[in-house]
Amino acid sequence: MELRRLETLLAVAEEGHFGRAAERLFLAKATVTEHVKQLEQDFGVPLLDRSPVRLTAAGHRLARHARTLLTAAEVARADVAETASAQQPGTLRVGVMGHGSAELTPATVQAFRTAHPEVDLRLVPMDFTEHVSALLEHRVDVAFVRPAPEDERVEIDVLTTERRIVVVPARWELADAPEVHLIDVLDLPFVRLPERTPRPFTDYLYFTAARGGEAPRRGDDAVTPHEVLAAAAAGRGAGSALESFQRFYPWPGTRCVPVVDAPWEHSVLVSRAGDASPEVRAFRTLAAGLARELGPGLRLTPA
């Protein structure tokens, strides 16, 4: 007994017509007729009255069993398909805020792709307002951000520890200094971040601890490194960053000046707390290993 023949019987019964059943099943009318005849031969009883077309008593009993069998077959197909899908290569979405963790970002991505070519790794650019929201809203699976979030919903791997710089217009007097102190930069007009920007990032950008919690003078709006640089090049505001920033964003009309007495700051890889995804675990392991291996060579940690 073939399931296809049972499906045909049900279609004829529901349509009350062999021709309409054939159209519904995309079969020839002769094939539909043959399916019903074969079922009647298998069971040894008439299953359909022909005029009008309707189920016999035996046909009604078989139809109940047919619906159960067809439903079970569909459940089995879905279950097997789900298992097969679970065995397919996964996807890993890697969020990157700005230049991420300097040279460690491309190094980790390349190492992961080499070690796990079966995984679809996708890079997702993030702006300053997405410090943790992109991760917690499941838009990314791991993310290179700075500074380290203060949030129990995420796990943190510290990758770099770097000194701080300010990004200023090249025409400002401050731009010619080989280095500056916090007292020299606290009164600068800093780029303005949206209200939704997480507090740890605004405190980081504005050196809030050094200014006693007071807000800075405000320049142009910015939510990405490019917007910070554009504002600085136009003389419309300053920004701050980690020292590696200047290796990745040389920008005409701007200067990056070290702030020698500012506390050093981390760049980190964050993931959702308790995430047991094998792709996430493998990426974290690679990033942490490369941080230990490449960090001293890149002089990203204090001597």
Side-chain angles (χ1 to χ4, degrees):
M1 180 176 59
E2 296 181 4
L3 293 177
R4 183 64 165 160
R5 293 174 186 172
L6 293 176
E7 187 178 11
T8 299
L9 176 68
L10 291 177
V12 174
E14 291 168 3
E15 296 292 340
H17 194 277
F18 279 79
R20 289 196 296 271
E23 292 177 1
R24 170 174 154 181
L25 298 172
F26 300 100
L27 296 173
K29 184 178 178 182
T31 302
V32 171
T33 301
E34 183 61 25
H35 281 184
V36 174
K37 285 183 178 179
Q38 288 172 340
L39 281 174
E40 290 178 327
Q41 289 174 4
D42 290 342
F43 288 96
V45 294
L47 299 172
L48 284 170
D49 290 328
R50 269 48 177 189
S51 183
V53 176
R54 60 187 178 186
L55 292 169
T56 64
H60 276 292
R61 289 198 176 188
L62 179 59
R64 288 198 298 271
H65 291 297
R67 292 188 179 95
T68 300
L69 288 170
L70 290 170
T71 299
E74 184 59 34
V75 170
R77 279 193 291 266
D79 186 56
V80 171
E82 182 178 348
T83 301
S85 174
Q87 295 173 345
Q88 294 299 312
T91 298
L92 183 69
R93 299 162 300 171
V94 179
V96 184
M97 178 190 287
H99 69 296
S101 293
E103 288 82 356
L104 287 172
T105 301
T108 305
V109 169
Q110 182 178 356
F112 185 89
R113 283 176 167 160
T114 299
H116 301 279
E118 76 284 0
V119 177
D120 180 14
L121 187 152
R122 304 176 184 178
L123 295 177
V124 181
M126 293 167 48
D127 65 38
F128 301 150
T129 69
E130 298 174 297
H131 189 227
V132 290
S133 61
L135 185 68
L136 296 177
E137 294 170 6
H138 290 257
R139 288 183 277 120
V140 299
D141 303 303
V142 294
F144 291 94
V145 304
R146 60 197 179 280
E150 299 173 1
D151 195 314
E152 63 183 10
R153 295 171 294 177
V154 303
E155 295 181 4
I156 299 167
D157 296 299
V158 175
L159 300 182
T160 74
T161 303
E162 307 177 48
R163 69 174 176 175
R164 300 295 305 281
I165 60 171
V166 286
V167 184
V168 297
R171 68 177 71 105
W172 287 4
E173 182 178 352
L174 195 69
D176 295 326
E179 59 186 35
V180 294
H181 292 79
L182 279 169
I183 192 65
D184 302 317
V185 304
L186 296 183
D187 196 42
L188 298 178
F190 279 81
V191 293
R192 181 170 54 242
L193 299 176
E195 291 296 326
R196 66 182 184 277
T197 306
R199 180 65 181 270
F201 190 84
T202 58
D203 289 349
Y204 155 87
L205 183 75
Y206 297 147
F207 300 105
T208 299
R211 63 174 72 253
E214 294 184 4
R217 294 169 53 206
R218 300 300 175 89
D220 283 359
D221 295 345
V223 294
T224 67
H226 285 177
E227 291 176 348
V228 172
L229 289 161
R236 301 285 298 175
S240 72
L242 301 180
E243 186 174 29
S244 57
F245 181 92
Q246 60 191 318
R247 298 200 298 273
F248 288 80
Y249 294 104
W251 196 279
T254 68
R255 295 289 186 275
C256 294
V257 185
V259 185
V260 293
D261 58 342
W264 289 48
E265 192 56 82
H266 304 308
S267 76
V268 300
L269 182 71
V270 291
S271 56
R272 287 181 289 275
D275 191 336
S277 161
E279 292 84 8
V280 169
R281 291 200 303 268
F283 195 87
R284 290 180 62 187
T285 298
L286 274 173
L290 287 170
R292 289 191 297 269
E293 178 183 345
L294 300 180
L298 296 172
R299 292 178 296 178
L300 296 177
T301 55

